[in-house]
Amino acid sequence: QRFDDLGGTTRKVGERNLKNIDGEGMEEERVAVAGGVASRYALKAGRIKSEDILICIDVDAESMVEMKTTGTNGRPLIRMECVKQAIILFVHNKLSINPDHRFAFATLSKSAAWLKKDFTSDAESAVASLRGLSANKSSSRADLTLLFRAAAQEAKISRAQNRILRVILIYCRSSMRPIHDWPLNQKLFTLDVMYLHDKPSPDNCPQDVYDSLVDAVEHVSEYEGYIFESGQGLARSVFKPMSMLLSHPQQRCAQDDLDIPRSLAKKVPVTEAANSVDGNNIQIIS
C-alpha cells in the first residue's frame, strides 16, 4: 500500500499472529455463531514486562526543515524542535503508565551513535539528554546496522532482567533510503518508526524510503512493530503517532487492525427516535 502524501496512512502487510519466544501473545479461538463459525482473539494470561525504550533520532540536515506549525514566538517550528517536544511528552506519559519503564537515546547520521547509553526511569535525566541535540549540515545515506547491533546487545541485557527492549526510530530523509545488514533469524527487539518527510517531487523519493523502513520493521521486530508517516508538516502529525506508540508491544493488535484515534468526522450520526414520552419526541444517539 502506497502511503498517502497527506500523511497518516499506515502500512498494509500480510496477516501475522502476535507471538514471542515465550509463547505469549494472541491466541485464536473458534467460536460457534449463528450461521457458521467465527474467530476471536484473546490475550493469554501472562506478565506484561517493563520496557527499555531506545529512541533514535535522525540528525540529518532534513531534520531542520521548517514545519507549517508556528511556535510561541510566531516563527515556524522545525522538525527537530517538534520531535523533542513529542519525545518529552512521550517519556512523561509512559512513566505515568509504569514508572519502571526506562529510556536511552541515540542519534542517526551516517550510522547510529549513543546520545545517552544508560537506560533511566528518571524523566529529568532523560529530558536533559535532549537539550543539546542538534542536526548535521550535510545529508548522507543512513546505515541502521550499528543501531540494530546495539539494540540486540541491549535486548539480551533486558531479557536477563525480565524486561523487553524496543527501538523507536524517528527518520526525516525524503531522498535517502536507509540500509542495513541484519540476519533474518535475529528478532530480539521491537522496532517502531515515525517517518517525517517532504512531499514527493522529482528531487526525492519518499515512497521508496518508506518501503525500506517497512521492510526494516518486518525484518527485525520481535513483536508487532508500528510505522507511521506524514508529509503534512504539522505538529499534530508528530504528536499523534507518538501518542499511539505509547502502546505496549505485548498488548498490540496488528497495525492493519488499528483504528484509533478515530476522526471526529466519522462519529456516529445523531438520529431521531420514533419513541415518545409524554407526547414529546426524544432524540437518541445510536
Side-chain angles (χ1 to χ4, degrees), residues 89-258:
L89 186 61
F90 175 87
V91 169
H92 283 284
N93 286 338
K94 195 70 177 172
L95 289 174
S96 69
I97 297 171
N98 180 358
D100 194 41
H101 292 317
R102 302 188 304 202
F103 303 88
F105 298 93
T107 59
L108 181 68
S109 183
K110 291 183 179 180
S111 61
W114 286 106
L115 181 63
K116 177 178 176 56
K117 184 175 181 179
D118 296 328
F119 285 87
T120 180
S121 295
D122 180 57
E124 292 305 316
S125 176
V127 170
S129 304
L130 301 174
R131 292 197 180 109
L133 186 62
S134 60
N136 295 330
K137 295 182 179 180
S138 59
S139 296
S140 60
R141 171 164 288 187
D143 189 340
L144 302 178
T145 304
L146 287 182
L147 174 64
F148 294 166
R149 286 179 185 171
Q153 184 63 36
E154 295 298 328
K156 294 175 182 177
I157 299 173
S158 298
R159 287 189 181 196
Q161 301 172 0
N162 199 29
R163 306 171 67 90
I164 64 170
L165 187 118
R166 173 160 50 127
V167 175
I168 299 177
L169 172 63
I170 301 172
Y171 195 78
C172 301
R173 308 179 205 194
S174 300
S175 57
M176 298 288 181
R177 296 179 57 177
I179 59 174
H180 63 81
D181 181 13
W182 195 250
L184 278 170
N185 61 347
Q186 286 195 34
K187 295 190 174 184
L188 304 174
F189 57 90
T190 301
L191 175 64
D192 292 327
V193 176
M194 181 166 67
Y195 179 35
L196 307 176
H197 58 85
D198 297 332
K199 298 287 187 181
S201 74
D203 297 325
N204 63 34
C205 54
Q207 178 64 56
D208 291 340
V209 177
Y210 177 79
D211 292 342
S212 296
L213 292 168
V214 170
D215 289 342
V217 171
E218 293 294 318
H219 193 100
V220 305
S221 283
E222 175 186 11
Y223 296 97
E224 176 77 6
Y226 286 171
I227 177 168
F228 302 102
E229 61 78 29
S230 176
Q232 291 179 309
L234 298 173
R236 67 171 178 263
S237 65
V238 180
F239 285 90
K240 177 180 174 179
M242 284 301 288
S243 68
M244 298 174 77
L245 291 179
L246 289 169
S247 59
H248 195 289
Q250 288 180 287
Q251 297 176 302
R252 292 178 174 180
C253 66
Q255 187 168 351
D256 295 338
D257 298 328
L258 196 64

Side-chain angles (χ1 to χ4, degrees), residues 41-95:
Y41 293 85
L43 277 173
K44 293 179 65 176
R47 177 177 173 80
I48 301 302
K49 300 175 182 178
S50 296
E51 290 188 83
D52 289 334
I53 303 174
L54 170 56
I55 301 177
C56 183
I57 306 154
D58 190 357
V59 293
D60 183 80
E62 291 187 63
S63 66
M64 300 299 290
V65 170
E66 289 186 349
M67 305 185 73
K68 296 178 182 178
T69 304
T70 56
T72 55
N73 57 8
R75 293 181 298 179
L77 288 174
I78 62 173
R79 282 178 183 162
M80 179 69 76
E81 293 171 341
C82 199
V83 164
K84 285 183 182 181
Q85 293 178 20
I87 292 173
I88 292 171
L89 186 61
F90 175 87
V91 169
H92 283 284
N93 286 338
K94 195 70 177 172
L95 289 174

